[in-house]
Amino acid sequence: MPTPSMEDYLERIYKLIDEKGYARVSDIAEGLEVHPSSVTKMIQKLDKDEYLIYEKYRGLVLTSKGKKVGKRLVDRHQLLEEFLTMIGVSDEHIYTDVEGIEHHLSWDSITHIETLVEYFRRDEQRLQELRSIHNELVGDS
């Protein structure tokens, strides 16, 4: 299982390849706000652990294992963003909050959050009731 740091890289690489068709060291470094040398070291580790295939000066490709994990991580991130949006967390906090919690939740918790999100998707009235209860408890801040 990848470490939280490896997860960040795999998620970023997966998104770059999905959006642009490729992932360069400089793009990964910029997206994660790290030095290119750090990216190169992590890419070598991900290559060793068979999440991707890396050839110096030629680029990288995700293995089927890397694609599977990358997609799962991107989906987890999107689910948590949707969940926090749904329950009324302000947009200015969502990205930071997701980054802060995504590595600390078990996949069991993620699955339960996914079920809860689907529960609210199926009936907008349920979500309105939740927001109404929230407003009763904390006010309209």
Side-chain angles (χ1 to χ4, degrees):
M1 200 64 191
T3 65
S5 181
M6 291 168 76
E7 286 184 347
D8 286 340
Y9 279 85
L10 284 168
E11 181 180 355
R12 184 71 191 139
I13 292 166
Y14 183 88
K15 285 176 75 172
L16 283 167
I17 291 172
D18 188 51
E19 293 166 4
K20 298 169 77 168
Y22 60 90
R24 296 184 315 205
V25 168
S26 59
D27 295 329
I28 298 165
E30 182 182 324
L32 295 175
E33 299 178 350
V34 297
H35 292 285
S37 59
S38 299
V39 174
T40 300
K41 286 178 190 171
M42 181 59 79
I43 285 174
Q44 291 167 344
K45 178 159 180 44
L46 292 169
D47 183 18
K48 181 177 168 273
D49 291 349
E50 301 179 347
Y51 289 103
L52 55 81
I53 298 167
Y54 174 64
E55 293 182 35
K56 197 171 184 178
Y57 306 117
R58 300 194 90 158
L60 60 91
V61 292
L62 289 170
T63 61
S64 59
K65 175 182 173 181
K67 287 177 188 174
K68 181 179 176 184
V69 172
K71 180 172 181 359
R72 190 174 186 199
L73 297 170
V74 168
D75 290 347
R76 174 183 72 185
H77 190 100
Q78 290 170 339
L79 172 70
L80 292 172
E81 281 187 0
E82 182 178 2
F83 174 67
L84 294 180
T85 299
M86 211 176 244
I87 63 171
V89 174
S90 66
D91 289 345
E92 67 189 76
H93 298 294
I94 288 177
Y95 181 80
T96 305
D97 287 353
V98 169
E99 287 297 312
I101 65 173
E102 67 184 340
H103 300 297
H104 300 285
L105 293 172
S106 68
W107 286 103
D108 183 49
S109 293
I110 296 295
T111 301
H112 282 82
I113 290 170
E114 186 174 33
T115 302
L116 186 59
V117 166
E118 183 58 29
Y119 174 80
F120 287 126
R121 270 192 206 132
R122 290 184 182 193
D123 186 348
E124 182 70 25
Q125 184 59 37
R126 294 171 180 158
L127 193 53
Q128 296 306 323
E129 289 171 11
L130 175 69
R131 289 179 179 156
S132 177
I133 291 168
H134 172 77
N135 289 338
E136 286 175 25
L137 294 174
V138 298
D140 291 315
S141 51

